Amino acid sequence: MKTIHTAFLGLGNVGCGVYRLLDMQKEAFASRSDLAFSVDRILVRDLDRPRRVKVSRDRLTVDVDEIVNDPDITLVAEFMGGIEPAATYMERMLLAGKSVVTANKQALANAWPRLSAAAMKTGAGLYFEASVCGGIPVIETLLSSLQSNRVESIMGIINGTCNYILSRMSEGMEYEDALAEAQEKGLAEPDPTADVEGADATCKLAILSTLAFGKSVTVDDVYCEGISSLTREALQFGADMGYTLKSLAVAKEKDGRLQLHVHPAFLPNRHPIASVSGAYNAVYIRGNAVEDIMLSGKGAGDMPTASSVVSDMVKVATRQVHPAVDFQESNRPYLDEDWICGNFLCLHVEDKSGVMAKLFGILSHYGLSAASVTQPRRAEKAERVPVIVTTYPCREQAMRAALVDIRALPEVGSVLRIRMEEME
Amino acid sequence: MKTIHTAFLGLGNVGCGVYRLLDMQKEAFASRSDLAFSVDRILVRDLDRPRRVKVSRDRLTVDVDEIVNDPDITLVAEFMGGIEPAATYMERMLLAGKSVVTANKQALANAWPRLSAAAMKTGAGLYFEASVCGGIPVIETLLSSLQSNRVESIMGIINGTCNYILSRMSEGMEYEDALAEAQEKGLAEPDPTADVEGADATCKLAILSTLAFGKSVTVDDVYCEGISSLTREALQFGADMGYTLKSLAVAKEKDGRLQLHVHPAFLPNRHPIASVSGAYNAVYIRGNAVEDIMLSGKGAGDMPTASSVVSDMVKVATRQVHPAVDFQESNRPYLDEDWICGNFLCLHVEDKSGVMAKLFGILSHYGLSAASVTQPRRAEKAERVPVIVTTYPCREQAMRAALVDIRALPEVGSVLRIRMEEME
């Protein structure tokens, strides 16, 4: 039996899940792979804090050097979260020749080049399946199953908090109530900013795009809009037209340039990922040979995430050579920030003649053509009435310029613009 | 640059697809992995047949020994189809130390133990992603991403021909017309038996179950029913009740026993794989940690299948150690042929009193309880009328016994029984 001496950095929810899963699968590892994992050391902040798993006190340490300097430990699993000190600790482990498995998208998306350089220097493995979409094997699929393809696009629902909130809003809740419910259920953090404003999805999309397109994509390359300004009303009007609202992460290669954006978007109801609801995640990938494939499942949660961490640990234990991503300055992507998509505008306008003419004047000035105009209900007295305008697919920058002018019209109150994807 | 000298066994549609894909991805392999594939030799039956790809005549051979005895060739991709001589050729390649990549589910499902033994003897790799579900990376997911889980169940739409036919029937076509259309479109063979009677799905389920449960599952272990006796009428009645009809491959582990069955079944419309239609395949997997994940995509087609073949070729080229499945007689599964599922019975009965009483008498005799009884339309004159009876989940063997008695009732004409899955 081969015993892999392991250390954990952190012992929060995912760490406890991994600890439990290693125990649950102990016999399977022994009988199928002649393999055992021993968790020798666990770095914690507070030795005395109560834990959800029973760990003998003498394995806990507050000193990372005890792990770095332990020659028996060949595998380190990181569950600290945040960029620092997690990234520096992982780098030290890799430089000491220890393979690292991490669930930390933030540290990876922000410090990947130096982590990768450290791994390549010593031949240690750096695995991160759990950093994107919990238990869904999207990293392994990009690294090993789609290397036969030129990936053309990725479209993902990769933030479960947003997807839960939007699913509840489509059932009639307002944003604030859906967020509060998600927080109650533990699906949103007390400070939900990173999820609802898109930073979380941005990290994940940077990681996926780096693997899919072979370019060093950073979080700063990804255009990002959150979901907090969406209204139940706009969702409902879109639903009436056959669309489902999702917070999408989109990456496309077009003429050698990458389009990278995270934002809410309407999809036609018939699109395969339109029906992925609640806390589920899905990634829809198009390749030049495979055509389209979709992976979906629980995008978060202790045990689904632990599933990915432990499968990475088994890879470390059973592979002789680890895959490596070579980051070079020359390998930066060319970005295309003027991508094409349809638009759904939910406007509240004064119900008087001439307003629509002005609106269409602006659209036409910027070369945009409306696909439909709908006034879902009649005005009563002098109130503003909602008007839904959809456009044919058009250039992003032209739309943004038009929106500035539309918002400046005195007859126009609120303007909510939602992109429309996969309309062809 | 590392050049992998390769041979093909066969050059049909998938072989031509692989040949083209290797050429399309040539630069990507060179720049990303410093790797080149050279197709040195191609075994064909007829040297003079016209081909869809341009291959120089001197690489073609009709003599398999030329490949076996060529020491430069380290990788052989097999596209012959059928069990023999494909299995024996692959075994000879493996024994000669050449890694084999195959898309041949039949040869694998029927000759896996001896192929695996040959591979383990020489350390050669045996890869077969393309044998199940075309471009969908379900084999790699089971082999490398779910090894951290105890797989509890697999439920798949793994035959695109059946799924296409059932999708068309749900749109109102009769079975014969849908089959004819599938044949016209090249989605069904001139002799469709292997697809529509379930033999194809049986091979695939045996392969998936072997990997998922770590047991030597053979095609004979899988209970199988085809789709050819289904009627548009029954589909429609089921649709009215909120169910979608699919040809399902199901594998479950229950108390150490495996339930393995391929047959048509109704799913609730809300189930994630209910909306997978047309020539798409989907595999829905439950594991003790990952909870549920689903993979879907094109389950057949030259290029999606080539995508999986070429990704396996890259694995052969870049891995030092190949995964192996150890088949031992002691590792045979214990089967549970008395699984539990709901039932949907579409009966045509004489419209006279006492019939329903007899029917319920039989159900109750076998301990089965009806969940609903519906008579979708009134009888006119003395004709038989359709009656839909659904049962609560019950034991398979009790249902089969009850069906024998129901079919023996003189008042009952045709009896179509369709299982119902995932009803809880």
Side-chain angles (χ1 to χ4, degrees), chain A residues 96-377:
Chain A
K98 303 177 196 307
S99 289
V100 166
V101 172
T102 179
N104 188 334
K105 62 199 150 271
Q106 262 192 296
L108 190 70
N110 288 283
W112 200 352
R114 68 183 166 110
L115 295 177
S116 196
M120 288 171 79
K121 201 165 186 173
T122 61
L126 173 62
Y127 289 84
F128 45 87
E129 183 67 80
S131 68
V132 181
C133 295
I136 307 173
V138 60
I139 301 293
E140 187 65 29
T141 295
L142 286 170
L143 272 173
S144 96
S145 301
L146 294 180
Q147 54 194 329
S148 53
N149 280 250
R150 183 169 52 72
V151 173
E152 294 166 347
S153 67
I154 298 175
M155 179 172 294
I157 296 172
I158 59 180
N159 183 279
T161 308
C162 287
N163 204 40
Y164 182 84
I165 292 172
L166 294 182
S167 296
R168 294 298 277 153
M169 286 175 75
S170 75
E171 291 161 19
M173 284 178 101
E174 289 290 356
Y175 171 79
E176 294 299 339
D177 299 328
L179 170 60
E181 187 185 273
Q183 286 171 320
E184 257 167 52
K185 293 195 166 200
L187 295 168
E189 304 281 336
D191 174 1
T193 314
D195 288 315
V196 301
E197 298 306 344
D200 174 86
T202 295
C203 285
K204 293 170 180 168
L205 188 65
I207 295 169
L208 294 179
S209 304
T210 295
L211 297 177
F213 303 110
K215 297 286 174 190
S216 309
V217 176
T218 69
V219 291
D220 296 329
D221 297 329
V222 181
Y223 175 81
C224 169
E225 282 179 23
I227 63 165
S228 59
S229 60
L230 298 173
T231 61
R232 180 174 66 93
E233 180 198 54
L235 251 84
Q236 190 53 56
F237 290 147
D240 293 344
M241 297 169 76
Y243 307 132
T244 304
L245 190 59
K246 293 293 175 193
S247 177
L248 289 187
V250 181
K252 287 185 190 167
E253 181 162 16
K254 201 104 189 173
D255 306 324
R257 288 172 181 268
L258 294 188
Q259 302 172 347
L260 303 163
H261 33 111
V262 167
H263 51 65
F266 278 117
L267 287 171
N269 290 344
R270 63 173 188 284
H271 193 278
I273 67 176
S275 54
V276 173
S277 60
Y280 280 77
N281 279 193
V283 182
Y284 181 83
I285 306 173
R286 287 208 176 113
N288 64 338
V290 77
E291 299 183 13
D292 49 353
I293 61 172
M294 182 173 99
L295 313 179
S296 62
K298 287 278 175 69
D302 306 347
M303 294 312 285
T305 306
S307 167
S308 286
V309 170
V310 174
S311 77
D312 276 352
M313 291 174 70
V314 177
K315 288 175 211 161
V316 169
T318 54
R319 292 188 182 170
Q320 313 277 310
V321 178
H322 303 296
V325 180
D326 193 1
F327 288 88
Q328 296 168 352
E329 196 47 42
S330 63
N331 207 24
R332 293 275 303 139
Y334 294 96
L335 299 179
D336 174 1
E337 298 183 69
D338 200 16
W339 67 88
I340 287 174
C341 66
N343 294 277
F344 175 104
L345 308 181
C346 180
L347 313 164
H348 285 81
V349 303
E350 284 174 25
D351 190 33
K352 58 185 187 189
S353 67
V355 181
M356 295 310 285
K358 287 187 187 177
L359 198 63
F360 278 83
I362 293 171
L363 291 178
S364 119
H365 175 73
Y366 290 100
L368 309 169
S369 40
S372 73
V373 180
T374 318
Q375 187 171 323
R377 58 177 171 80

Side-chain angles (χ1 to χ4, degrees), chain B residues 157-172:
Chain B
I157 296 173
I158 60 179
N159 183 278
T161 308
C162 288
N163 204 40
Y164 182 83
I165 292 172
L166 295 181
S167 296
R168 294 298 278 153
M169 287 175 75
S170 76
E171 291 162 18

Side-chain angles (χ1 to χ4, degrees), chain B residues 223-342:
Chain B
Y223 175 82
C224 169
E225 280 179 24
I227 64 164
S228 60
S229 60
L230 297 174
T231 61
R232 180 174 65 94
E233 179 197 55
L235 250 84
Q236 190 53 57
F237 290 147
D240 293 343
M241 297 168 75
Y243 307 133
T244 304
L245 191 58
K246 293 291 173 195
S247 177
L248 288 187
V250 181
K252 287 184 191 166
E253 181 160 18
K254 200 103 190 175
D255 305 324
R257 289 171 181 268
L258 293 189
Q259 303 173 347
L260 303 163
H261 32 110
V262 167
H263 51 64
F266 278 117
L267 287 171
N269 290 345
R270 65 174 184 283
H271 193 277
I273 68 176
S275 53
V276 173
S277 61
Y280 279 76
N281 279 193
V283 182
Y284 181 82
I285 306 173
R286 285 207 177 114
N288 65 336
V290 77
E291 301 183 12
D292 48 354
I293 61 171
M294 182 173 98
L295 313 178
S296 62
K298 285 281 173 68
D302 306 346
M303 294 311 285
T305 306
S307 167
S308 286
V309 170
V310 174
S311 78
D312 276 353
M313 292 175 69
V314 177
K315 288 175 210 161
V316 168
T318 53
R319 291 189 183 171
Q320 314 276 310
V321 179
H322 304 295
V325 180
D326 193 2
F327 287 89
Q328 297 168 352
E329 197 46 43
S330 63
N331 207 22
R332 292 276 302 138
Y334 293 97
L335 298 180
D336 175 0
E337 299 182 68
D338 201 15
W339 66 88
I340 288 174
C341 66

